[in-house]
Amino acid sequence: MTEWFQGTLGYGFGWFVATFVLILMIALPLMLAVAMIIYADRKIWAAMALRRGPNVVGPFGLLQSFADGLKVFLKETIIPSAANRGLFILAPIITFTVALIAWAVIPFGPDMVLADINVGLLYILAASSLGVYGVIIAGWSSNSKYPFYSAMRAAAQMVSYEVSIGFVLISVVLWAGTFNLPGIIEAQRSHVFILNGFGFNPLLFPMAVVFLISAMAETARTPFDLTEAESELVAGYQTEYSSMSFALYWLGEYANVLLMCALNAILFWGGWLPPIDWTPLYLIPGILWFFLKIFVFFFIFSWVKATVPRFRYDQLMRLGWKIFLPLSLIWVFLVSGWLMLTKEPCPAPGMVITAENADRYMPSCSARTLTTIQGRDAAGGAS
């Protein structure tokens, strides 16, 4: 599509239009998905509490999220007189924007990614870390003690679980040999016998569990929603917000939840690949497998929110610093040691890496160079 726009409108302007169209193709469905998963979230909670949930607006209550959005949009935006007006308005915009930019590197299928960059995983880690700034600015600019306490909690919680998430990602990168997200997905093909996914590996499955729980803490979902603990902080950093400013926080929160569900699918469960490396399963488009895995993880998020009571703050900190951090750090040593013991060094120059012998070498040698070396050999290259 980019080539067509460049050929029609010129190189520079054509690239701009093509990129803008691709951004809309991701952002608009994402906003629709956020509206629908809010509905799904409420239906799952209701089912687990033996209630009906939304069932009035539209068939089966499907339009309830849109009715809520319209109601919030028509409400008056109230800014406290003692608040810092500029920062107060800017905070929800930051949260919402940061929740969207991380999707630029998410691969929805083979060659279905807006920006296929080599450091996609680092980009997501950096972008997700910026989300806490919207919360901190909101807590400080509101000039109210409850939002300020919430902002301090959010900052401490983010730091605590970002560290363990970072070490979990190191384990995945060591095994895949790349920071590129499509490369990480391809490294999971037939990873354990005919199963696609690092999560099926007994050595990496504990890290999949740690990442899932840390993702809940990263997005401040129950039982880690200490930033919005209504029994202690009213509504936390959102206490003074109303109208669309309040709605932007909701949209940003659920966009981040979807992002973490997508990362769980990409890093440990094969992304767009089917669970089993069986040819008939590849007839189903990869994007459908990806969406199915996202929904499974979202169901887990909702299940936990409906059934697990909120932690105390000291329990949350203890889990992050005294359990997850040492565990993920030890696992980096275990994974790197296993790779050193079982993998051979990089092949000598001129040696061809094929699908049959790729598993013998270190991931950094084989994962990203397999197709390149085979392509050069098929084209009559030096090897």
Side-chain angles (χ1 to χ4, degrees):
M1 184 177 70
T2 303
E3 290 79 4
W4 184 85
F5 276 108
Q6 288 178 334
T8 306
L9 303 175
Y11 183 81
F13 186 67
W15 175 87
F16 173 79
V17 173
T19 304
F20 184 73
V21 170
L22 290 172
I23 291 173
L24 292 181
M25 289 175 62
I26 295 175
L28 296 181
L30 179 62
M31 291 299 98
L32 178 62
V34 166
M36 298 315 298
I37 67 165
I38 293 175
Y39 166 80
D41 216 6
R42 296 173 67 180
K43 293 294 279 189
I44 292 171
W45 302 341
M48 292 187 178
L50 300 180
R51 296 184 290 105
R52 291 183 179 275
N55 65 340
V56 175
V57 184
F60 307 105
L62 286 170
L63 300 180
Q64 183 64 56
S65 295
F66 300 99
D68 292 340
L70 179 62
K71 179 185 70 174
V72 171
F73 181 76
L74 296 177
K75 285 183 176 292
E76 179 185 2
T77 299
I78 299 174
I79 301 177
S81 57
N84 185 313
R85 187 180 183 88
L87 293 178
F88 186 85
I89 296 174
L90 183 63
I93 298 174
I94 292 175
T95 299
F96 178 70
T97 304
V98 169
L100 291 183
I101 62 174
W103 287 88
V105 297
I106 294 294
F108 297 92
D111 300 320
M112 295 178 63
V113 57
L114 178 62
D116 187 11
I117 58 178
N118 290 332
V119 291
L121 195 55
L122 290 180
Y123 172 85
I124 286 183
L125 190 62
S128 62
S129 301
L130 293 174
V132 72
Y133 285 102
V135 177
I136 293 176
I137 293 174
W140 184 84
S141 64
S142 297
N143 199 22
S144 175
K145 60 180 180 297
Y146 290 126
F148 184 73
Y149 290 154
S150 173
M152 294 301 99
R153 284 186 173 188
Q157 183 171 328
M158 180 71 70
V159 171
S160 301
Y161 286 88
E162 278 284 342
V163 177
S164 58
I165 283 180
F167 284 119
V168 170
L169 297 184
I170 289 175
S171 299
V172 173
V173 169
L174 284 172
W175 210 290
T178 178
F179 283 97
N180 179 266
L181 293 179
I184 291 174
I185 292 175
E186 287 299 329
Q188 299 177 62
R189 192 185 297 271
S190 298
H191 181 66
V192 178
F193 301 112
I194 60 171
L195 300 176
N196 297 327
F198 288 148
F200 296 109
N201 186 331
L203 193 58
L204 290 178
F205 178 75
M207 291 296 95
V209 175
V210 170
F211 185 83
L212 176 62
I213 299 174
S214 298
M216 295 180 187
E218 183 85 359
T219 53
R221 290 278 291 191
T222 307
F224 303 99
D225 58 339
L226 274 301
T227 59
E228 305 168 33
E230 66 277 357
S231 59
E232 308 160 23
L233 303 177
V234 189
Y237 59 91
Q238 305 176 29
T239 300
E240 305 294 342
Y241 281 91
S242 61
S243 186
M244 280 306 295
S245 299
F246 180 81
L248 286 178
Y249 276 116
W250 269 75
L251 293 174
E253 176 184 340
Y254 277 92
N256 278 323
V257 169
L258 280 180
L259 176 66
M260 287 301 169
C261 294
L263 283 179
N264 273 283
I266 289 171
L267 297 177
F268 294 100
W269 303 102
W272 67 72
L273 299 175
I276 302 174
D277 191 18
W278 185 41
T279 303
L281 294 180
Y282 288 95
L283 298 177
I284 301 175
I287 191 171
L288 296 183
W289 285 115
F290 185 54
F291 287 162
L292 177 62
K293 294 173 183 178
I294 289 178
F295 182 77
V296 168
F297 282 107
F298 182 75
F299 177 81
I300 295 174
F301 271 62
S302 297
W303 184 5
V304 170
K305 183 167 185 174
T307 55
V308 180
R310 182 183 293 132
F311 286 177
R312 294 198 315 266
Y313 200 72
D314 63 306
Q315 293 173 329
L316 181 144
M317 290 289 108
R318 186 184 304 115
L319 180 65
W321 287 108
K322 293 187 177 181
I323 298 178
F324 282 178
L325 176 58
L327 182 64
S328 57
L329 185 57
I330 290 171
W331 236 257
V332 171
F333 285 99
L334 290 177
V335 170
S336 57
W338 175 261
L339 292 175
M340 290 294 291
L341 289 174
T342 58
K343 303 293 184 181
E344 297 181 13
C346 293
M351 185 180 297
V352 178
I353 303 177
T354 64
E356 289 74 22
N357 66 6
D359 291 339
R360 293 170 48 195
Y361 301 104
M362 295 292 288
S364 57
C365 301
S366 58
R368 295 295 292 164
T369 59
L370 174 60
T371 55
T372 303
I373 293 179
Q374 283 181 328
R376 284 191 305 169
D377 184 57
S383 59

